[in-house]
Amino acid sequence: MLLLSLALLALTRAEILERFKAPVVTQSDGLVKVYANCPEDMRREFQSPIARFAADTVQMLYRGLAKKPVRFDKPGIVITVGDIRTNVTTVTSRALTNDSRVVTRIRVLSPGYADLARLKLEVVRAFYRSVEGRELDEDEAIAAYRHADPVLRVWDERQKLENWLSGCGTTNDEEGLKLMRRVFEPGKASRRDVLIFASRLFLYPPQLDLRLAGKYVSLSFREAVRFAKIDPLTRLVAYYKANEMPVLGGGRGEDLAAAAMDYRTFLLEFAKAEKSEEELLELLDAADVKLNVAFEKAERQ
């Protein structure tokens, strides 16, 4: 209050009146209000963008919680845009209890240089106070936002998978296997998605005490070709594997799906035992080409 009084003393009467009359921007069904304690040119440049920034953060948090936005008669997040024009990055925040409600007052001292990561963090914490009735520490607030942001959430889940595959992190085997099967981004295949698909291009006996061609615990598709007409068990396994291919390659983009369908065609023909080894290898080569295309596109993303 003392600093505000001193600041007002430095302004002319006209400037003080102009700031008091400045419009307030309300967002997110009344949850967010943004005041501009700054000259008109700064208000025009920064007030609405800051309000939109806070509102976008709030809407993302609602979606992350699968929660319908609530209308507020009085704001729970009050942001004041300051009038400093130099490179002061400081964003301050204070939580107050008014009429049994928690109101978070956030002040952006120099809007042109504000630390946006800090502003977002304080908006997240303020949201949880007002909407969820919970106090989050900084790490919890960061985790809450990353979970709400679909891009960051996918990145974090993919990183969990990478850590598990490399033997790091805290993900257990059951969760790791689920992550291997997950479609992280519908319609898009990452490099890891293609590599996981490629790792499944093997045939295995249906029981531990059985062997393919009488002696193999596994065969790559290419290795299996020479047994197509002489080993019924390998043909049976290929038939069942063919039905898995659309599932293994589906949902991750057209290129990987196309490769999966070509592998399915190869396996079904393998199971019929009607084509020669050369003809089967031609089908397999065609599928491999499509898989390489999917991998190369994923590498460029």
Side-chain angles (χ1 to χ4, degrees):
M1 182 62 75
L2 176 60
L3 291 176
L4 177 60
S5 299
L6 292 173
L8 289 175
L9 288 174
L11 300 175
T12 67
R13 183 173 183 276
E15 289 172 330
I16 293 172
L17 290 175
E18 193 271 333
R19 292 194 185 189
F20 275 120
K21 292 178 181 179
V24 178
V25 178
T26 302
Q27 295 281 354
S28 302
D29 296 310
L31 175 60
V32 177
K33 283 189 180 294
V34 180
Y35 294 83
N37 183 25
C38 57
E40 184 178 0
D41 65 315
M42 294 182 70
R43 182 172 73 243
R44 287 198 305 268
E45 184 176 0
F46 296 112
Q47 187 179 21
S48 291
I50 287 176
R52 186 71 259 159
F53 180 85
D56 288 346
T57 301
V58 164
Q59 294 307 312
M60 187 171 289
L61 291 169
Y62 273 127
R63 289 193 295 270
L65 292 169
K67 191 167 188 173
K68 185 178 179 180
V70 178
R71 178 166 293 281
F72 284 77
D73 295 328
K74 296 180 180 179
I77 305 172
V78 177
I79 302 174
T80 301
V81 179
D83 59 0
I84 298 176
R85 297 181 186 271
T86 54
N87 57 341
V88 176
T89 62
T90 305
V91 175
T92 63
S93 177
R94 184 171 57 153
L96 304 171
T97 302
N98 294 333
D99 302 325
S100 299
R101 296 181 314 111
V102 178
V103 179
T104 304
R105 296 188 176 276
I106 301 171
R107 184 167 175 79
V108 180
L109 302 182
S110 178
Y113 297 91
D115 181 344
L116 294 182
R118 171 55 61 177
L119 176 58
K120 187 184 294 290
L121 180 66
E122 296 302 343
V123 170
V124 172
R125 298 180 73 186
F127 171 89
Y128 269 82
R129 291 184 190 112
S130 293
V131 176
E132 292 293 288
R134 292 170 52 195
E135 182 65 39
L136 303 185
D137 61 28
E138 291 193 8
D139 289 341
E140 290 170 334
I142 292 170
Y145 182 78
R146 294 186 72 88
H147 173 76
D149 186 318
V151 175
L152 294 176
R153 183 170 64 248
V154 166
W155 192 94
D156 288 343
E157 291 297 293
R158 286 194 181 281
Q159 193 58 47
K160 278 185 185 178
L161 175 58
E162 292 297 327
N163 290 341
W164 178 72
L165 290 170
S166 64
C168 304
T170 59
T171 301
N172 59 40
D173 287 344
E174 182 178 356
E175 185 181 1
L177 292 171
K178 287 181 179 179
L179 289 171
M180 283 186 68
R181 295 190 293 269
R182 181 175 300 175
V183 177
F184 290 101
E185 298 174 87
K188 180 180 178 181
S190 70
R191 180 178 183 275
R192 177 57 70 186
D193 290 330
V194 179
L195 289 174
I196 288 174
F197 177 84
S199 73
R200 291 161 167 164
L201 302 181
F202 288 84
L203 300 178
Y204 299 94
Q207 297 175 204
L208 293 177
D209 59 341
L210 295 178
R211 295 290 182 270
L212 300 178
K215 61 178 180 179
Y216 298 102
V217 295
S218 71
L219 287 169
S220 71
F221 289 177
R222 194 166 296 274
E223 291 169 337
V225 167
R226 61 194 174 100
F227 301 113
K229 292 190 175 183
I230 62 176
D231 185 40
L233 179 60
T234 303
R235 291 200 300 272
L236 179 64
V237 171
Y239 174 77
Y240 286 119
K241 188 74 172 186
N243 294 322
E244 293 179 17
M245 299 314 295
V247 176
L248 298 176
R252 298 173 176 85
E254 294 180 359
D255 295 303
L256 192 56
M261 293 307 295
D262 274 18
Y263 283 115
R264 181 176 187 272
T265 299
F266 158 75
L267 290 167
L268 289 175
E269 292 299 330
F270 181 105
K272 292 177 184 178
E274 295 176 354
K275 292 188 179 297
S276 66
E277 288 187 25
E278 291 75 16
E279 289 172 319
L280 288 175
L281 288 173
E282 286 179 4
L283 291 174
L284 184 56
D285 288 341
D288 286 346
V289 167
K290 289 188 178 179
L291 183 61
N292 286 333
V293 169
F295 183 76
E296 289 169 3
K297 287 188 176 181
E299 285 271 76
R300 293 196 296 268
Q301 292 175 359

